[in-house]
Amino acid sequence: MKKPVAITAELTSENAQALAQFVKNVSHDALRQCLSDDAETFLVRDALDSLREALDLAGFDPK
């Protein structure tokens, strides 16, 4: 397994809440349409899941 990379972003509360909502609701099919293959789609989904968890820990729980 590769070493994780930490990222930092500054968002307004409104942006963070909207992003949390988007990450929660974006479908596999919507991601697949933007990416080259299923493997890449699963990698992006995993990354978005990590982002969702970070947003949740920061207090931005999607409704």
Side-chain angles (χ1 to χ4, degrees), residues 10-22 55 58-63:
E10 292 187 25
L11 304 170
T12 65
S13 293
E14 293 84 6
N15 288 142
Q17 188 62 46
L19 183 58
Q21 191 66 36
F22 172 79
L55 286 162
F60 298 96
D61 184 22
K63 299 184 180 17

Side-chain angles (χ1 to χ4, degrees), residues 27-50:
S27 69
H28 177 87
D29 290 336
L31 292 174
R32 181 63 185 93
Q33 289 178 11
C34 299
L35 300 164
S36 60
D37 58 30
D38 283 332
E40 189 176 31
T41 302
F42 285 112
L43 285 173
V44 169
R45 180 78 259 172
D46 287 345
L48 289 174
D49 287 344
S50 294

